[in-house]
Amino acid sequence: MGLKRHNCHFTRDDESLSVPVFVNFQNDSDDWILEVALAGLGFAQLPIWMVGEQLKSGRLKQVLPDYKTQTLSFNAIYPQNCYVPLKVRCFVDFMKLKLSENTMYK
């Protein structure tokens, strides 16, 4: 498998930055990507809530801390009904809270 060019997009205030990087592997599993980064085999673009403990312990280091990445949408899909179970409402509220947190894990 050869190197593929990929552009990472970042913003800071009104400034946009596009950084070309060359990758020799990629994966859709955030857990796998985290393991690769922890093994020192590359860098990862992962949600802060997923890497907070590793950043706090020093196992990972954040690069470009002043820049933000592209936001991703998240949709909760469940059957429309007059009655939405409490566990579904709690889960959706929890995800809203977690996904809206933009602060560094301290």
Side-chain angles (χ1 to χ4, degrees):
M1 179 179 206
L3 292 177
K4 290 184 178 181
R5 181 187 168 131
H6 178 76
N7 289 322
C8 293
H9 302 283
F10 304 95
T11 59
R12 181 179 67 183
D13 301 324
D14 292 332
E15 177 187 6
S16 292
L17 178 64
S18 180
V19 179
V21 294
F22 293 89
V23 298
N24 58 0
F25 59 88
Q26 55 189 81
N27 195 296
D28 290 339
S29 167
D30 286 348
D31 292 323
W32 186 85
I33 293 169
L34 177 58
E35 290 303 317
V36 168
L38 288 169
L41 299 174
F43 68 93
Q45 189 174 353
L46 294 167
I48 197 74
W49 56 265
M50 186 175 199
V51 296
E53 289 298 322
Q54 291 83 1
L55 290 170
K56 186 177 177 181
S57 71
R59 291 183 67 202
L60 290 178
K61 300 230 184 270
Q62 187 177 22
V63 294
L64 299 174
D66 297 332
Y67 286 85
K68 294 184 179 187
T69 59
Q70 176 184 4
T71 57
L72 302 173
S73 62
F74 180 84
N75 297 300
I77 301 171
Y78 49 90
Q80 186 175 1
N81 194 338
C82 293
Y83 171 74
V84 177
L86 180 60
K87 62 184 174 184
V88 172
R89 284 196 319 242
C90 288
F91 175 74
V92 170
D93 290 344
F94 172 78
M95 291 305 296
K96 282 181 184 178
L97 176 68
K98 285 298 182 185
L99 294 173
S100 68
E101 293 175 352
N102 290 326
T103 58
M104 170 60 81
Y105 187 90
K106 303 240 182 204

